[in-house]
């Protein structure tokens, strides 16, 4: 029992399927969980054929005819929900799509379900139209529609200054300073193996970061650091919106059956892989932090750049953007930055304490308990947009899918038998661990809920340059109501250009970068 509701923990493949549409009340949570996870224990064509057979079930003489009608309606409801929540199964399998069309004309209409047939057709047409467009264009329009236009839209600087949320407004208290004694001759850092081992335990790539800002403190040149050209608040807002939009584009299907789960890379759709985009962007942002600090001349500039990055990370945390804040911190704990002894030696204790507080979120102890507790505490207060640490999201999903058995081991022949299990009799079918899929679906839904609410400064960015490989993606032209550029738009291409310049170092391996190969002299 879960929340007063009976929950199926395990069952044979046949019994689990029959529970979708039986004589009892239809549990939509169960239906959705089954549909989203069915590729783990059956195939989409097999599921559809079983539904078609269930639609044509023969009623026993002792049953009333309305029982068959009730089950048929439930089968059609399942098909509609399947189309709505996982249309990709039909989009990626043209044979299955043709089978559905034939089933509508030859079976559903023939049985007298004209209204239900119309609903199924409309659902297919709607999903086909939605998937015809790039997902991020729809996400951007949705977020803009939820934000009221800024009253100071024509004044970029004023718009940003007046829209900046304070710690009290967002319910985000300032980070608690750690009171620790630390040597002034060596920087506070955890071993570099901690970072590399954590990244390798999640996926081949890692988390994301973003692009643009507001108003230039001074016009940036090709070699000038944007840390001094752009205010930290504007950089933090742009990076937050970029990661938020990319995360919002990731669907349940992407998490459970996307390309990142495929052992062989095979493109069956022209839709961008947003999970790959998120992880590559995170790696790029981490590497950008290294380039920015190492390229600065002299300890004074480096300390100023370090302070700027801390300010950006702190602002991201105030907006529940743990992901970008932690990615920036990951750049600060890398070996090239740790070797900047002239920078670390002159840092004030307050900034060192802030760095230590940020670094605690990367602590791997107790399965990153410090980060998990902080994220849960901040997001449980009230519905608000948030961005969880993406590598840990992928790690948790991988554990649910690969670390928990899908098929339960057969029971022992008797309670007193040894730990070795007895082989199943020929007539006994294995049990599918359906409780695993309940927990997995609940976790994915929690991740999706992080982007249901929209940042109130989302209308300050129309130019989504981070969705374009060249950084020159469509801006407000997607919606004619946005006649003027958003306050953050002028900085989009500037920051994207900086990120693309360091992305080349990561094309094959970080070891190709001169910062890691030892060819760069670090004072």
């Amino acid at each position: 029992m879960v929340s007063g509701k009976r929950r199926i923990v395990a069952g044979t493949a046949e019994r689990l399927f029959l529970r979708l549409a039986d004589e009892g009340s239809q549990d939509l949570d169960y239906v959705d969980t089954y549909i989203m996870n069915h590729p783990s224990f059956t195939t989409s064509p097999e599921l559809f054929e079983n539904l078609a057979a269930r639609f044509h079930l023969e009623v026993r003489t002792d049953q009333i005819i309305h029982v068959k009608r009730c089950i048929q309606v439930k089968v059609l409801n399942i098909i509609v929900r399947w189309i709505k929540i996982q249309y990709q199964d039909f989009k990626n399998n043209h044979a299955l799509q043709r089978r559905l069309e034939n089933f509508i004309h030859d079976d559903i209409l023939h049985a007298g379900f004209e209204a239900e047939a119309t609903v199924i057709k409309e659902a297919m047409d709607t999903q086909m139209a939605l998937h015809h467009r790039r997902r991020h264009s729809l996400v951007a329009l949705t977020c803009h529609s939820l934000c009221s236009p800024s009253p100071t839209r024509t004044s970029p600087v004023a718009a940003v200054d007046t829209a900046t949320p304070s710690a009290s407004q967002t319910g985000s208290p300032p980070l608690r300073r750690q009171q620790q004694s630390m040597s002034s001759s060596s920087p506070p850092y955890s071993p570099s193996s901690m970072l590399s081992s954590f990244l390798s335990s999640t996926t081949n790539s890692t988390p994301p970061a973003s692009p643009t800002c507001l108003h230039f403190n001074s016009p940036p040149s090709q070699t000038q650091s944007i840390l001094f050209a752009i205010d930290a608040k504007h950089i933090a807002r742009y990076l937050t919106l970029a990661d938020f939009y990319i995360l919002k584009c990731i669907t349940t299907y992407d998490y459970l059956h996307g390309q990142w789960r495929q052992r062989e890379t095979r493109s069956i759709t022209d839709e961008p892989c947003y999970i790959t985009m998120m992880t590559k962007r995170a790696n790029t942002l981490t590497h950008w932090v290294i380039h920015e600090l190492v390229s600065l001349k002299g300890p004074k500039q480096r300390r100023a750049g370090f302070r700027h990055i801390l300010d950006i990370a702190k602002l991201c945390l105030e907006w529940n953007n743990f992901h970008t804040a932690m990615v920036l911190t990951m750049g600060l704990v890398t070996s090239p930055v740790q070797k900047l002894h002239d920078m670390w030696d002159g840092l004030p204790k307050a900034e060192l304490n802030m760095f230590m507080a940020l670094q605690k979120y990367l602590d791997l102890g107790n399965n990153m308990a410090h980060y998990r507790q902080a994220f849960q505490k901040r997001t449980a207060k009230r519905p608000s947009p948030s961005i969880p640490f993406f590598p840990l999201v992928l790690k948790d999903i991988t554990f649910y899918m690969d670390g928990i058995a899908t098929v339960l081991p057969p029971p022992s022949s008797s309670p007193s038998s040894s730990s070795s299990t007895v082989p199943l009799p020929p007539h006994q079918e294995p049990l599918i661990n359906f409780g695993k899929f309940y927990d997995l679906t609940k976790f994915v839904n929690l991740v999706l809920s992080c982007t249901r609410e929209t940042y109130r400064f989302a209308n300050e960015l129309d130019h989504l340059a981070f969705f374009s490989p060249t950084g020159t993606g469509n801006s407000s032209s997607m919606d004619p109501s946005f006649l003027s550029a958003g306050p953050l738009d002028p900085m989009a291409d500037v920051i994207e250009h900086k990120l693309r310049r360091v992305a080349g170092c990561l094309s094959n391996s970080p070891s190709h970068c001169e910062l890691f190969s030892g060819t760069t002299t670090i004072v």
Side-chain angles (χ1 to χ4, degrees):
M1 299 287 289
V2 177
S3 301
K5 186 178 180 181
R6 189 175 68 173
R7 194 178 84 166
I8 295 177
V9 176
T12 64
E14 180 181 5
R15 294 289 296 175
L16 290 176
F17 170 77
L18 292 177
R19 182 66 184 88
L20 289 172
D22 55 14
E23 293 85 353
S25 59
Q26 194 168 34
D27 185 350
L28 295 183
D29 289 337
Y30 176 81
V31 172
D32 292 349
T33 302
Y34 190 102
I35 291 173
M36 289 187 286
N37 296 279
H38 77 269
S40 297
F41 46 85
T42 186
T43 64
S44 295
E46 182 179 2
L47 172 59
F48 188 88
E49 293 304 326
N50 288 337
L51 289 173
R54 186 69 172 161
F55 183 81
H56 292 292
L57 85 163
E58 294 295 332
V59 181
R60 299 193 307 269
T61 55
D62 59 338
Q63 286 181 317
I64 306 176
I65 192 64
H66 83 270
V67 173
K68 177 178 180 178
R69 194 81 174 177
C70 177
I71 292 178
Q72 287 179 322
V73 171
K74 291 179 180 178
V75 168
L76 299 182
N77 288 337
I78 294 170
I79 294 176
V80 172
R81 293 190 72 83
W82 187 0
I83 295 170
K84 289 182 177 181
I85 67 178
Q86 200 148 294
Y87 170 75
Q88 292 90 336
D89 292 333
F90 298 92
K91 179 183 178 182
N92 300 333
N93 190 331
H94 297 294
L96 181 62
Q97 192 169 343
R98 289 193 297 270
R99 178 68 178 91
L100 173 61
E101 294 171 354
N102 294 334
F103 182 70
I104 294 174
H105 293 93
D106 300 340
D107 300 79
I108 300 178
L109 290 175
H110 185 265
F113 292 94
E114 291 85 1
E116 289 78 2
T118 301
V119 171
I120 295 176
K121 290 179 180 178
E122 291 177 350
M124 283 292 292
D125 292 341
T126 300
Q127 293 299 319
M128 195 175 301
L130 290 175
H131 284 77
H132 184 71
R133 297 186 61 177
R134 291 297 177 94
R135 202 179 303 157
H136 54 257
S137 65
L138 299 173
V139 167
L141 285 174
T142 302
C143 291
H144 280 149
S145 65
L146 295 176
C147 294
S148 57
S150 173
T152 54
R153 181 83 176 198
T154 57
S155 177
V157 179
V160 177
D161 292 340
T162 57
T164 304
S166 62
S168 61
Q169 288 172 324
T170 58
S172 306
L175 286 174
R176 188 171 299 167
R177 304 287 178 91
Q178 271 192 329
Q179 300 300 326
Q180 293 183 348
S181 60
M182 49 191 72
S183 172
S184 61
S185 60
S186 60
Y189 70 99
S190 26
S192 58
S193 59
M194 181 202 78
L195 179 64
S196 59
S197 63
F198 175 73
L199 297 184
S200 61
S201 69
T202 54
T203 179
N204 290 334
S205 44
T206 339
S210 303
T212 213
C213 303
L214 207 356
H215 118 96
F216 290 108
N217 296 328
S218 60
S221 63
Q222 291 291 327
T223 57
Q224 182 185 6
S225 172
I226 60 176
L227 294 177
F228 303 128
I230 307 174
D231 187 84
K233 175 178 58 179
H234 307 154
I235 296 179
R237 286 196 172 193
Y238 180 78
L239 297 182
T240 294
L241 290 177
D243 285 342
F244 177 81
Y245 281 136
I246 298 174
L247 182 66
K248 193 174 181 66
C249 287
I250 303 176
T251 64
T252 303
Y253 184 86
D254 295 329
Y255 284 123
L256 301 181
H257 316 293
Q259 295 181 21
W260 77 285
R261 293 285 304 165
Q262 308 295 333
R263 299 188 177 215
E264 297 180 2
T265 303
R266 49 191 178 93
S267 180
I268 55 180
T269 175
D270 58 353
E271 185 76 30
C273 180
Y274 295 101
I275 290 180
T276 301
M277 186 183 299
M278 190 84 167
T279 55
K280 286 185 176 180
R281 189 169 189 82
N283 287 335
T284 301
L285 185 63
T286 298
H287 208 60
W288 168 76
V289 170
I290 304 171
H291 272 262
E292 289 295 316
L293 291 179
V294 173
S295 62
L296 292 174
K297 304 301 180 182
K300 185 175 181 180
Q301 277 198 348
R302 285 172 176 169
R303 283 194 290 270
F306 180 86
R307 186 180 306 112
H308 211 72
I309 293 174
L310 288 183
D311 290 340
I312 295 171
K314 181 181 177 181
L315 286 167
C316 289
L317 283 177
E318 289 183 4
W319 302 324
N320 293 338
N321 180 4
F322 285 78
H323 174 75
T324 306
M326 294 168 70
V327 167
L328 292 171
T329 307
M330 286 164 58
L332 297 177
V333 301
T334 54
S335 176
V337 176
Q338 293 294 313
K339 292 179 181 179
L340 300 175
H341 300 293
D342 61 342
M343 178 190 76
W344 293 102
D345 291 344
L347 286 176
K349 188 174 181 180
E351 293 178 7
L352 290 174
N353 288 339
M354 175 58 66
F355 172 69
M356 291 294 294
L358 290 170
Q359 195 180 14
K360 286 189 67 177
Y361 291 107
L362 296 176
D363 184 6
L364 301 180
N366 296 323
N367 196 15
M368 298 195 74
H370 180 79
Y371 155 74
R372 292 180 186 275
Q373 292 172 5
F375 184 81
Q376 183 178 10
K377 181 179 179 180
R378 293 282 292 276
T379 57
K381 293 180 179 180
R382 60 180 180 181
S384 59
S386 55
I387 306 178
F389 188 43
F390 197 64
L392 195 59
V393 171
L394 298 184
K395 177 179 178 292
D396 288 346
I397 291 177
T398 301
F399 172 77
Y400 277 115
M401 300 192 75
D402 300 337
I404 302 176
T406 298
V407 179
L408 295 177
S412 303
S413 57
S414 64
S416 60
S417 62
S418 62
S419 57
S420 59
T421 57
V422 179
L424 283 173
H427 64 277
Q428 186 172 350
E429 295 184 39
L431 297 179
I432 295 175
N433 183 10
F434 203 77
K436 157 186 174 176
F437 300 109
Y438 266 124
D439 295 337
L440 174 60
T441 303
K442 179 181 178 180
F443 176 78
V444 172
N445 286 335
L446 285 175
V447 176
L448 296 177
S449 68
C450 292
T451 58
R452 286 197 186 124
E453 301 291 329
T454 303
Y455 284 103
R456 60 175 180 167
F457 51 83
N459 61 348
E460 295 177 6
L461 178 67
D462 298 337
H463 183 32
L464 309 184
F466 44 86
F467 281 127
S468 172
T470 60
T472 57
N474 293 334
S475 59
S476 58
S477 59
M478 72 175 74
D479 187 351
S481 64
F482 293 95
L483 299 179
S484 59
L488 296 174
D489 288 354
M491 314 307 152
D493 288 332
V494 175
I495 296 183
E496 288 303 313
H497 176 72
K498 290 287 186 178
L499 293 179
R500 288 196 304 274
R501 290 186 64 187
V502 302
C505 299
L506 300 170
S507 57
N508 296 312
S509 170
S511 61
H512 288 70
C513 178
E514 60 180 10
L515 299 180
F516 289 89
S517 62
T519 59
T520 298
T521 301
I522 302 178
V523 182

